[in-house]
Amino acid sequence: MIDLYTFPTPNGHKVSILLEELGLSYNVHKIDITQGQQFLPDFVEINPNSKIPAIIDHDIEITVFESGAILMYLAEKTGKLLPRETKSRYQVMEWLMFQMASVGPMFGQFNHFNRFAPEKVPYAIARYEQETLRLYGVLDGQLADRPYIAGEDYSIADIALYPWVASYPFMGLTLEQHPHLKHWVEILQERPAVQRGMAVPA
């Protein structure tokens, strides 16, 4: 059994989608980051950086935090959604790291300055919107001649990227200028496990 500590954010949804895709049993613990629950001592013991998501896998009593590390751990635990062959494996890893290093931080900054900052800073909004659109273009180009981010097979790279890209309406953006990326979102959002994972926590 796995304990999942999460909140309905793109990073949280990455892990719940993967757990659903893998068919693993898990208990959900909602950590309300809007109320500062991530800073409570019990959660800091699980993740010293006070960020969701985090998991405890009671099969071997291991705690894993950082969403990318959790995806890698669960994929390796089950032998699914992460290829074993070296070239294919590192193609998946490249795009997983792309999400962690570029998509998450840049989309997150755009959301912050565009929706949540106490004062509007036009320079910051324009900067992060431009970078978000550039990243859409990178993904659109990658998907021009393949069904999934890292090739022919669905993987943890797709799972990592989907919740961030699918949040484009919340961000006030459109994918109309990125048809390959838009098609990819439409395909993934029909997967039952993706739908279930996006609904966690209830």
Side-chain angles (χ1 to χ4, degrees), residues 61-89:
E61 293 301 329
I62 184 174
T63 298
V64 187
F65 62 87
E66 288 294 333
S67 57
I70 297 170
L71 296 189
M72 292 167 58
Y73 169 76
L74 293 173
E76 291 181 341
K77 173 185 174 74
T78 59
K80 297 177 181 178
L81 298 175
L82 179 61
R84 295 188 181 276
E85 187 270 324
T86 300
K87 181 178 179 180
S88 298
R89 184 181 185 86

Side-chain angles (χ1 to χ4, degrees), residues 171-197:
M171 298 169 72
L173 300 175
T174 176
L175 297 181
E176 294 305 316
Q177 301 303 311
H178 302 95
H180 307 298
L181 184 59
K182 184 174 184 287
H183 178 69
W184 172 84
V185 168
E186 291 169 346
I187 294 297
L188 265 61
Q189 69 187 9
E190 294 302 316
R191 296 180 68 93
V194 170
Q195 295 173 6
R196 293 192 301 270

Side-chain angles (χ1 to χ4, degrees), residues 4 6 73 85 92 95 109 114 123 127 134 153 190:
L4 169 63
T6 192
Y73 169 76
E85 187 270 324
V92 170
W95 290 99
Q109 290 296 325
N114 192 42
Y123 170 78
R127 171 183 170 82
R134 187 189 74 80
D153 298 319
E190 294 302 316

Side-chain angles (χ1 to χ4, degrees), residues 80-108:
K80 297 177 181 178
L81 298 175
L82 179 61
R84 295 188 181 276
E85 187 270 324
T86 300
K87 181 178 179 180
S88 298
R89 184 181 185 86
Y90 276 89
Q91 287 172 336
V92 170
M93 297 290 278
E94 285 175 337
W95 290 99
L96 175 62
M97 295 304 118
F98 172 81
Q99 187 279 306
M100 300 296 295
S102 296
V103 168
M106 295 301 102
F107 288 21

Side-chain angles (χ1 to χ4, degrees), residues 48-64:
N49 195 33
S50 298
K51 301 287 185 182
I52 61 93
I55 65 168
I56 300 175
D57 183 352
H58 293 287
D59 286 349
I60 59 173
E61 293 301 329
I62 184 174
T63 298
V64 187

